[in-house]
Amino acid sequence: MTLDHSVRRTSGNDTGGGTPSDVDQTTDADRALLRDAVRALLADLWPAEDYERDVSDPECLRAVWAALCAQGAASIGSAPDAGGLREVVVVLEELGRAACLAPALAAAAFHLAVGPHTDGTLGARISGGQAIPVLALDGLTGPAGVAVQDERLTGVLDLLEATEIASHLLVPLPDRNTLAVVELDASGVTVEQVRALGAAGLSRVGLDAAPYTAIALPDIAWRDLLQVARVGLAARAHGETARTFEMACEYVTQRQQFGRPVGAFQAVQHKLANSLIAVDGCGLLIRQAAGNVDRKQPDAHLTAAAAFAFASTALRRVSLETHHTFGAIGYAEEHEAPRHFKRVHVDATRLGGARAAREELAAHYLDEGGLVPDIDLGELGNAFRNEVESWLRAHWTPEERAASRRRRHEFGHDYDHEFARLIGETGWIGLSWPEEYGGQARSPRENLAYLQVMERYDAPRAGSPVHSAMIMAHGTPEQRQRFLPEILAGAALHGISYSEPDSGSDLASLRARAVRDGDEYVIDGQKIWTTTYYGEYLLVAARTDPDAHPKHAGISVFMVPSDAPGITKRIIDTMYDGSFANIFFDGVRVPASARLGPENDGWRVLTSALGTERGVVGGGQIVLSLVRLFELLCEELRGGDVARVADSVVRDAVGQLATDLEVARQLMTSCALIAEGGVSPLHEAAMTKVFASELHERFGEAVLDLLGPAATLSAGTPGALADGRFELRLRHSLMWVISLGTNEIQRTLIAQRGLGLPRR
Ligand SMILES: Cc1cc2nc3c(=O)[nH]c(=O)nc-3n(C[C@H](O)[C@H](O)[C@H](O)COP(=O)(O)OP(=O)(O)OC[C@H]3O[C@@H](n4cnc5c(N)ncnc54)[C@H](O)[C@@H]3O)c2cc1C
């Protein structure tokens, strides 16, 4: 098989940075073929065990490049039907996994910035392997390192790759309009090998009045060059890191200490769960950025900057963590890990490192007044976003919003029955339900579109998504008939009563009991922290078989009217100006028909909706509300002190938040795409919840530093910024970390379900 087959353009589904809006494209399956072909080629010509020999012998690199050229990898991007940055990313990730510096990035950057080539030109010779390029990166973001005098180049360029086999040096010139091409065997050119982080394979090139050929680049092509370099380097660093991370995950299942595999220790599991979030988040963002560049999206430069900024810091952290996980064995040079450590650290610091990328993001948000670009949710999702927005503009006027705020203040909680009934008329409460239950059978991405606009318009939540999912999955026909229509109409709300004073994370240890008495159950016990205590129904988990083993067995779930005789509520104020309730059940009688799912099978009912709860409800809501807050923060900064906006510390912090927000959005969207594929995202939803909730906390803390004491003033206090929303969200953010299963519990789940690490 040749790579030419893999990079052909076909139409089809794409979930790696592509969406259904992207009609003419190479499919994921094509890219998987490309990946496999490059991986096989490298295993043959650049095997891990011969790395030292290969890296010191230019003939090995020449053989790799010749093989890649023969299979078409050197021509990706050279013509409209020759693939794009998404295919380049695949090749570079594989080169990263092999710690091989074959010049795929230089070739792709040349093609993608300079455009299609005719026979005999440098581009055509690069594609054919007769000319081998090396790209000088530094001039793209900082001083070029060279000066032009009398149409010759003088200066020093550092950390150049593959010079031992290269024929042409590509130098972006400081005028930002020219790519200088220097023949490496020309007069005035000297090449000296350097070691960076102790690794070989890099060079310093001296130019002393060296002749060059100029290729004119329009302004836009300069930006293309930078985007390709950022995404390409991030992809290679991602491959480098992913390889060591996978090795570490494998190692911890084998290595035994204290009589068990070290991967069973929670400290190791949580470290690797964090790493998985970083590695996957980075991979998603890189693919999105590459797709945006290929589709020539106007915001492609922002995604590319975010991808590089995140890769630069997160992958280095993962690299350190994986080394800690290996212990001393990974410290030996004969192990594969050190070469990846060196490579990822060199790659991550190129192009001005994360700082320069974050500055580009800060310029967009602080100088240009830019908003967070909408995620491409596919044709249907994008259209639905517009439809919901039109509806809200018509029905959710500023006067309505103010009235709703007053109502919510009056109720003492964040639910507005009037609004719920209004939106109930649209049918959108059941937008993702199957049509047989009165729903609209819309996709998870349409659901995201809906949540996004509702958040943008500060609309209160409506519906009971977790309960309706459970009722549809486990309810009897009568239960569906009874409960679903009123939820759909916004007329009924259901609360969750699972937690008990002694059963938080360890929910399976709950003690509330439901005893069968004829056609009824009698419930006794105490529930705690029920947020939606004011709903018409409570979903109560209770033990129906006290002797069952394991303790997960013997639990059943009931839908209990919240005003049933025997229920007492003690309402408690929460630290975010809301409330939840302790609820006492004292001989509460419910008919047997109130049981949801079979007796003693409640655990399956409870856990079946966890993906919905954490992914779309939890993760989605957290991320989308953060987008809105981030825009408010930037608005606040722009409208304030000019010196503050110019402060590099402020700009870097804004760039950092924008980067993390982009990662959170990718994790959230990937859950929707997984769900669209018919699979419930479990560890992926947990990853979104962990990353987004902790970002929410970081955001709240950062705002206090960026805006100062005025940001601490609460709603209603004169001088409160954004009517106190920033400080309120900081107080609220803790809830996201603790509830829906604490982040420690989530990390354990990610490690055991996502990485397959042992339980003991
Ligand atoms: C604002 C808010 C609203 C809530 N709303 C509801 C609701 O509507 N209905 C409802 O039923 N519940 C609700 N909860 C409760 C929530 O589900 C629990 O808080 C959560 O399950 C954690 O339980 P806990 O608070 O008892 O903490 P604990 O389980 O006691 O945990 C304390 C600490 O120990 C850690 N820990 C515990 N076990 C482990 C372990 N095995 N490994 C590692 N670390 C561990 C936790 O991560 C945490 O850091 C709400 C909570 C909050 C904060």
Side-chain angles (χ1 to χ4, degrees), residues 406-476:
R406 277 195 302 278
R407 284 195 293 270
R408 282 182 275 164
H409 182 70
E410 220 170 89
F411 302 145
H413 52 70
D414 196 31
Y415 191 81
D416 180 347
H417 285 85
E418 243 175 79
F419 178 79
R421 284 180 187 275
L422 184 68
I423 199 116
E425 289 170 17
T426 63
W428 290 339
I429 288 178
L431 66 88
S432 58
W433 302 5
E435 285 168 358
E436 59 180 306
Y437 303 130
Q440 299 181 346
R442 292 182 187 271
S443 68
R445 275 182 292 177
E446 287 174 290
N447 193 27
L448 275 187
Y450 170 78
L451 291 174
Q452 182 191 343
V453 186
M454 296 294 277
E455 197 58 53
R456 187 181 289 159
Y457 280 76
D458 299 326
R461 69 199 171 91
S464 299
V466 174
H467 305 76
S468 30
M470 284 184 189
I471 294 168
M472 284 184 276
H474 303 284
T476 60

Side-chain angles (χ1 to χ4, degrees), residues 266 270 495-501 503-506 528-532 574 576 580 734-735 738-745 748:
Q266 193 172 80
H270 287 195
I496 290 181
S497 286
Y498 299 165
S499 303
E500 298 183 3
S503 302
S505 301
D506 184 13
I528 194 167
W529 309 315
T530 298
T531 307
T532 315
T574 61
Y576 62 84
F580 46 31
L734 303 169
M735 183 199 84
I738 299 166
S739 65
L740 305 174
T742 68
N743 282 8
E744 284 76 24
I745 299 295
T748 302

Side-chain angles (χ1 to χ4, degrees), residues 15-28:
T15 52
T19 71
S21 305
D22 187 14
V23 279
D24 177 25
Q25 61 192 343
T26 307
T27 64
D28 276 353

Side-chain angles (χ1 to χ4, degrees), residues 288-616:
Q288 183 65 45
N292 286 356
V293 171
D294 285 345
R295 289 187 290 271
K296 303 207 178 304
Q297 301 271 18
D299 54 322
H301 64 295
L302 298 178
T303 339
F308 188 74
F310 188 70
S312 177
T313 47
L315 296 181
R316 278 152 70 187
R317 183 74 234 156
V318 173
S319 179
L320 290 164
E321 293 292 13
T322 46
H323 267 274
H324 302 161
T325 306
F326 280 125
I329 198 163
Y331 204 69
E333 279 284 348
E334 64 187 21
H335 197 281
E336 192 183 325
R339 81 190 64 141
H340 293 299
F341 178 90
K342 295 169 187 177
R343 291 275 353 123
V344 74
H345 279 76
V346 174
D347 278 350
T349 47
R350 307 306 306 274
L351 298 171
R355 276 299 285 264
R358 292 200 289 249
E359 168 52 35
E360 184 157 345
L361 291 162
H364 171 77
Y365 291 110
L366 296 181
D367 306 337
E368 296 156 23
L371 295 175
V372 178
D374 275 341
I375 296 186
D376 182 357
L377 293 171
E379 212 172 303
L380 289 177
N382 296 340
F384 189 50
R385 183 160 47 202
N386 295 337
E387 188 184 333
V388 177
E389 188 151 10
S390 306
W391 185 90
L392 280 168
R393 264 200 233 109
H395 295 87
W396 193 232
T397 57
E399 297 72 43
E400 259 305 324
R401 288 195 214 184
S404 171
R405 260 200 300 276
R406 277 195 302 278
R407 284 195 293 270
R408 282 182 275 164
H409 182 70
E410 220 170 89
F411 302 145
H413 52 70
D414 196 31
Y415 191 81
D416 180 347
H417 285 85
E418 243 175 79
F419 178 79
R421 284 180 187 275
L422 184 68
I423 199 116
E425 289 170 17
T426 63
W428 290 339
I429 288 178
L431 66 88
S432 58
W433 302 5
E435 285 168 358
E436 59 180 306
Y437 303 130
Q440 299 181 346
R442 292 182 187 271
S443 68
R445 275 182 292 177
E446 287 174 290
N447 193 27
L448 275 187
Y450 170 78
L451 291 174
Q452 182 191 343
V453 186
M454 296 294 277
E455 197 58 53
R456 187 181 289 159
Y457 280 76
D458 299 326
R461 69 199 171 91
S464 299
V466 174
H467 305 76
S468 30
M470 284 184 189
I471 294 168
M472 284 184 276
H474 303 284
T476 60
E478 294 73 30
Q479 286 172 330
R480 290 174 187 152
Q481 184 55 37
R482 177 176 164 201
F483 292 109
L484 293 177
E486 55 186 25
I487 294 179
L488 186 62
L493 190 63
H494 293 233
I496 290 181
S497 286
Y498 299 165
S499 303
E500 298 183 3
D502 291 328
S503 302
S505 301
D506 184 13
L507 185 59
S509 68
L510 61 85
R511 293 210 295 239
R513 291 182 64 170
V515 178
R516 184 84 187 225
D517 182 18
D519 286 345
E520 293 183 325
Y521 284 92
V522 183
I523 304 176
D524 284 283
Q526 184 188 350
K527 295 292 174 179
I528 194 167
W529 309 315
T530 298
T531 307
T532 315
Y533 58 85
Y534 45 83
E536 281 74 13
Y537 300 95
L538 298 170
L539 193 67
V540 180
R543 194 164 291 288
T544 35
D545 179 357
D547 303 320
H549 289 287
K551 58 190 178 182
H552 302 85
I555 292 174
S556 302
V557 175
F558 299 90
M559 287 177 292
V560 181
S562 70
D563 57 356
I567 289 183
T568 316
K569 298 176 191 170
R570 189 168 80 83
I571 296 164
I572 301 165
D573 290 339
T574 61
M575 66 178 277
Y576 62 84
D577 293 355
S579 53
F580 46 31
N582 285 359
I583 305 188
F584 302 88
F585 293 78
D586 190 7
V588 175
R589 288 188 167 267
V590 290
S593 61
R595 197 190 64 232
L596 188 58
E599 189 174 84
N600 296 328
D601 202 20
W603 193 254
R604 198 168 57 89
V605 178
L606 294 180
T607 48
S608 66
L610 286 179
T612 316
E613 196 176 347
R614 288 186 197 125
V616 180

Side-chain angles (χ1 to χ4, degrees), residues 67-133:
L68 283 169
C69 290
Q71 299 210 26
S75 60
I76 299 176
S78 63
D81 62 350
L85 190 51
R86 281 172 290 184
E87 286 71 48
V88 175
V89 158
V90 172
V91 174
L92 283 166
E93 287 202 332
E94 290 308 312
L95 289 169
R97 291 177 70 90
C100 178
L101 291 177
L105 176 58
F110 184 87
H111 295 318
L112 291 167
V114 174
H117 318 292
T118 47
D119 285 352
T121 57
L122 179 60
R125 285 190 290 133
I126 289 174
S127 295
Q130 298 88 4
I132 301 180

